[in-house]
Amino acid sequence: MLAVNELLQQVANGLAKGSVYALIAVGYTMVYGVLELINFAHGEVFMLGAYFGYWPARWLGYMPDSGEKPQVPAPVALLLTFGAMAACALIGVLVERLAYRPLRNAGRLSALITAIGISVLMQNLALVVFHADSKDFPRMIDQQSVVLGPVELPNTKLLIIGVTALMMAGLFWMVRYTRTGAAMRACSHSMKTASLMGVNVNRIISLTFAIGSAMAAVAGVLISLDQPRLTPLMGLMPGLKAFVAAVLGGIGSIPGAVAGGILLGVVESVVGGVAGTTYSEAVAFVLLILILLVRPSGLFGKSGREKV
Amino acid sequence: MRNTLLLAAIIATVTITAAACKSDIGPGFTNDKVTLGLFVSTSGDIATFGQDTKNGAELAVEEINKAGGISKHLIDLRFQDCASEPAQGGNAATKLITQDGVLIGMGEVASGISLAAAPIFQKYGVPMISPSSTNPTVTQQGDMIFRICYLDDFQGAACALFANQNLNCKTAAILMNQDDAYSTGLGKFFRFKFEKLGGKIVAEETFKKGASDFNTQLTNIKGKNPDVIFAPVYYQDIPLIAKQARGQGIDKPLLGGDGWESDDLLPKADGKLDNCYFANHYATADDAPIVANFVKAYNAKYGSNPTSLAALGYDVVYVAKKAIESAGGINEKLTRKAVADALRGLKDFEGVTGTFSIDKNRDARKPIQMLKIKDGKVLPDRRIRPEEVE
């Protein structure tokens, strides 16, 4: 039987894991909220975020070909992260402009298939550009273990949890209390009405993609601090899990994505601790099915509103 | 009438060609040259393994030819790329035998590819020596198939002995990749020997191929408080495991097999693998003259330290040379069968990867080198001989 300490430790592990899911899930849920599109290329944006943190660091000499890596100073690390966010935001906007906008009035299936196509395209482009062998990540933070009562966590994980909380608070404030946020909510309610009220719908959609992609970039950099192994296919599983998290929380709802992500991460970790890691994913997906059976629109989803 | 003649002619041609392919593969040497074949993968997934092996083998050929060759015959090394594919391994074997007429074939690294090539060498009666395939079934393909590396059962048992005797461990945890036969095999052999020595395996955790998050498994292991964590995984995984273990406050040593070996190991670990141990085929820092000379010559030619695969590639060429010389040298009486007989009787061969003999299963009986990671360096620790774990 699990000791209480161990259980708490697994919950803490799961919080960090779930935070990353939440950061990615927010991008899924925002795009769905506005466009009713599952942007399957979102996991790849997460992957690109990690690589966009890696390459400039390499050019700046923080990734020597041999020997010990130097510590990246905090301001540089911050700049690298902002750079990755900007680059991913641009990619998100471009993907929307080039692939999804021409299909906005086509059927939902066409857009969905296009999203899957973009995902495969980005994976394979990354394979060509970055090569299949895994890359290490620069040392942006000196990893140390921190004792917090009964649990012991590396500082990288605490950073993941902290940054996620901060970003979620910021996003929540933006959506709730700014004019842009109000416009975003209006678009999500009815795009046609919003445009009649003078909202620039195209600008809001671009902004939605930009914010979601920047969040995924942060997730990519954060996860690489803790698990520094970059591969062109690293976005696949986290992307899928984040999608599940978004559905679990009620797709279209930002608090839902956060709750879904954290819940999924914690359940995976705790089940892995109790029953062994072989079962953790299976149990997590059974949980998803059970929750959707009871609440088909997810934990925070609004039911009954069906847009055509 | 004309048709019948044509048919007869075609049948005759085909029969003659087929006969020529089947039996006439030449003796494998000319008046001044002896042809040896090398087949490894220099493209595909495991290209670095093949390239290292090829570098080592070419260095050995260069040295031997500079010193006058094998009984005054220069080595003509023919190379075929297996492209990391078993099917290509079969093609490579056929080409080396039927087109190049090699006396001996040397390869592959991956057991799966060696298994594809071995039946072809066996069929044509050409000796094949694998430098580094560790799967037991490779040499079971026939009496012409040999290897010069140790097997995974010995490696796992040696790690268990080392944990018990040198690290004084009473309890151990095992963390392995459930999708990799190398990893689970070593885990199984380690458990068997460790328990036989009176130790206790308190936790056995697995992860999926490509996993980057080992925290759940490590928390489970931490709760059982083992004296050592045996992690028979590859070099891409172990730095992540080490960092996450230290991040959770697990300060016990990690122990692993030859899969840890890589130039990337220490740079990727950021110092978190200090005081950990792994088994390998040889130690670059070994001060024995044969090793020191090899490391120096390899560095001069390629500008990097030789990996174990390079050392085994180097040794396999010298094993071929020794076998030819033991079979009476190169003269008109030399047959491939005589070379195979000499390989079967090979005793106390002194190579870079240790002094070894070929046993009755045509496998090498050789010591294993345990290595210690200390202050950013990989240092030689204990050497374990096969009789010590039996």
Side-chain angles (χ1 to χ4, degrees):
Chain A
M1 199 48 220
L2 270 189
V4 178
N5 278 7
E6 257 179 81
L7 193 68
L8 287 173
Q9 177 77 47
Q10 295 292 18
V11 171
N13 292 342
L15 272 179
K17 195 191 275 211
S19 296
V20 173
Y21 292 159
L23 275 175
I24 310 175
V26 164
Y28 275 112
T29 228
M30 284 173 72
V31 166
Y32 186 87
V34 175
L35 281 183
E36 298 215 337
L37 164 74
I38 308 289
N39 179 16
F40 271 113
H42 196 58
E44 275 56 57
V45 176
F46 158 79
M47 173 267 294
L48 287 177
Y51 275 100
F52 288 150
Y54 162 83
W55 280 108
R58 202 186 156 83
W59 292 326
L60 291 172
Y62 292 110
M63 289 298 297
D65 285 328
S66 61
E68 203 167 308
K69 287 171 290 176
Q71 176 85 36
V72 183
V76 180
L78 220 57
L79 271 179
L80 288 172
T81 311
F82 286 137
M85 287 168 75
C88 280
L90 189 68
I91 292 223
V93 171
L94 276 178
V95 165
E96 191 272 327
R97 261 312 243 291
L98 299 177
Y100 301 145
R101 191 171 294 181
L103 289 168
R104 197 175 294 160
N105 296 318
R108 278 165 74 172
L109 201 59
S110 312
L112 187 73
I113 300 295
T114 307
I116 294 174
I118 294 288
S119 162
V120 175
L121 175 74
M122 280 163 88
Q123 278 169 22
N124 286 286
L125 271 182
L127 270 169
V128 173
V129 178
F130 303 133
H131 304 294
D133 56 324
S134 64
K135 302 271 190 298
D136 198 8
F137 202 71
R139 258 171 75 183
M140 290 189 177
I141 180 170
D142 191 34
Q143 200 181 33
Q144 268 153 11
S145 84
V146 180
V147 183
L148 288 173
V151 301
E152 201 164 350
L153 277 179
N155 48 3
T156 43
K157 283 210 165 20
L158 291 175
L159 191 74
I160 291 179
I161 298 172
V163 171
T164 304
L166 215 65
M167 303 224 27
M168 290 306 151
L171 182 69
F172 210 68
W173 173 81
M174 203 272 300
V175 171
R176 198 106 302 245
Y177 296 110
T178 63
R179 282 177 67 88
T180 319
M184 226 174 237
R185 279 180 288 138
C187 282
S188 144
H189 200 77
S190 162
M191 220 184 281
K192 195 173 261 172
T193 318
S195 82
L196 287 174
M197 297 295 146
V199 173
N200 185 341
V201 172
N202 281 338
R203 214 189 107 241
I204 292 298
I205 290 173
S206 291
L207 196 68
T208 307
F209 271 88
I211 293 173
S213 302
M215 293 275 202
V218 174
V221 171
L222 285 176
I223 195 97
S224 305
L225 293 180
D226 194 53
Q227 298 156 22
R229 170 157 57 189
L230 276 52
T231 67
L233 300 182
M234 68 184 281
L236 204 61
M237 270 325 271
L240 206 60
K241 296 272 184 65
F243 170 60
V244 169
V247 174
L248 193 63
I251 194 148
S253 151
I254 293 175
V258 179
I262 304 277
L263 184 68
L264 191 66
V266 171
V267 167
E268 266 186 27
S269 278
V270 171
V271 170
V274 177
T277 46
T278 326
Y279 301 103
S280 58
E281 279 172 10
V283 173
F285 283 97
V286 167
L287 177 87
L288 170 78
I289 294 170
L290 287 181
I291 287 184
L292 292 185
L293 277 177
V294 182
R295 286 188 64 93
S297 50
L299 291 174
F300 288 67
K302 297 186 196 76
S303 53
R305 189 171 61 86
E306 180 65 37
K307 277 205 294 193
V308 182
Chain B
M1 189 63 187
R2 260 178 71 192
N3 279 348
T4 327
L5 258 178
L6 192 65
L7 195 66
I10 288 170
I11 290 173
T13 320
V14 169
T15 319
I16 289 164
T17 322
C21 283
K22 183 88 177 82
S23 60
D24 186 24
I25 55 172
F29 53 87
T30 60
N31 287 336
D32 56 353
K33 273 192 183 145
V34 54
T35 314
L36 300 183
L38 178 69
F39 59 104
V40 289
S41 300
T42 50
S43 59
D45 286 345
I46 54 165
T48 56
F49 294 173
Q51 192 58 52
D52 285 351
T53 309
K54 187 163 174 263
N55 285 352
E58 284 174 348
L59 176 64
V61 168
E62 194 183 293
E63 283 178 10
I64 293 170
N65 283 348
K66 211 175 267 175
I70 306 174
S71 53
K72 299 205 174 92
H73 288 63
L74 293 185
I75 298 176
D76 175 13
L77 186 72
R78 302 292 174 90
F79 173 72
Q80 286 290 338
D81 178 11
C82 299
S84 308
E85 298 281 347
Q88 279 302 315
N91 291 344
T94 308
K95 277 187 194 153
L96 287 176
I97 296 166
T98 59
Q99 290 177 13
D100 298 318
V102 298
L103 181 66
I104 302 170
M106 302 175 291
E108 232 279 336
V109 179
S111 294
I113 306 178
S114 288
L115 281 169
I120 298 165
F121 280 100
Q122 182 66 31
K123 188 178 97 188
Y124 284 98
V126 178
M128 162 180 151
I129 318 171
S130 167
S132 41
S133 289
T134 50
N135 188 299
T137 57
V138 169
T139 49
Q140 291 163 12
Q141 299 302 309
D143 61 358
M144 300 300 270
I145 316 299
F146 301 84
R147 93 176 91 211
I148 62 158
C149 56
Y150 51 66
L151 274 70
D152 286 343
D153 52 354
F154 170 55
Q155 184 171 196
C159 288
L161 187 80
F162 184 77
N164 178 279
Q165 294 184 349
N166 294 62
L167 305 179
N168 296 316
C169 299
K170 301 280 170 282
T171 56
I174 302 175
L175 176 60
M176 54 198 176
N177 179 345
Q178 65 183 38
D179 299 322
D180 179 22
Y182 162 81
S183 188
T184 53
L186 278 184
K188 190 179 81 184
F189 296 124
F190 177 89
R191 169 189 275 272
F192 183 74
K193 184 69 183 175
F194 194 74
E195 286 175 343
K196 217 166 146 193
L197 292 166
K200 192 162 179 257
I201 305 291
V202 290
E204 188 174 286
E205 292 286 328
T206 59
F207 60 88
K208 289 201 187 79
K209 189 180 173 205
S212 297
D213 188 349
F214 306 95
N215 283 294
T216 306
Q217 291 90 333
L218 288 167
T219 299
N220 288 348
I221 287 173
K222 189 186 176 193
K224 303 291 189 304
N225 196 26
D227 296 332
V228 65
I229 301 171
F230 182 56
V233 299
Y234 284 111
Y235 67 92
Q236 300 97 327
D237 294 324
I238 192 64
L240 293 177
I241 293 174
K243 283 183 190 174
Q244 289 169 22
R246 303 306 180 231
Q248 282 195 26
I250 301 174
D251 55 0
K252 295 294 160 47
L254 298 165
L255 173 67
D258 59 344
W260 282 24
E261 194 204 31
S262 164
D263 282 345
D264 279 349
L265 181 72
L266 294 181
K268 280 192 175 178
D270 293 335
K272 306 292 184 202
L273 274 172
D274 235 31
N275 291 319
C276 293
Y277 303 82
F278 67 104
N280 208 349
H281 301 268
Y282 90 116
T284 332
D286 196 328
D287 47 16
I290 185 169
V291 179
N293 289 340
F294 164 67
V295 172
K296 207 174 131 202
Y298 192 94
N299 260 301
K301 191 167 158 74
Y302 302 108
S304 64
N305 266 337
T307 59
S308 283
L309 293 169
L312 288 163
Y314 180 85
D315 275 354
V316 77
V317 174
Y318 275 99
V319 166
K321 173 175 184 273
K322 175 97 181 267
I324 294 170
E325 285 166 354
S326 309
I330 301 173
N331 54 55
E332 63 280 7
K333 276 180 284 182
L334 181 74
T335 61
R336 292 188 175 84
K337 192 176 167 301
V339 173
D341 287 339
L343 276 169
R344 228 164 276 137
L346 190 78
K347 281 246 158 4
D348 300 326
F349 171 86
E350 277 179 52
V352 171
T353 59
T355 300
F356 58 89
S357 306
I358 299 292
D359 68 12
K360 62 180 190 322
N361 298 322
R362 298 174 299 284
D363 296 326
R365 205 176 145 76
K366 67 196 296 190
I368 197 165
Q369 176 73 53
M370 298 305 298
L371 301 171
K372 176 177 189 169
I373 301 169
K374 181 83 192 156
D375 299 329
K377 286 201 183 66
V378 178
L379 305 170
D381 202 294
R382 180 179 172 185
R383 244 170 203 255
I384 299 174
R385 293 188 310 278
E387 51 275 20
E388 289 179 89
V389 300
E390 277 155 11

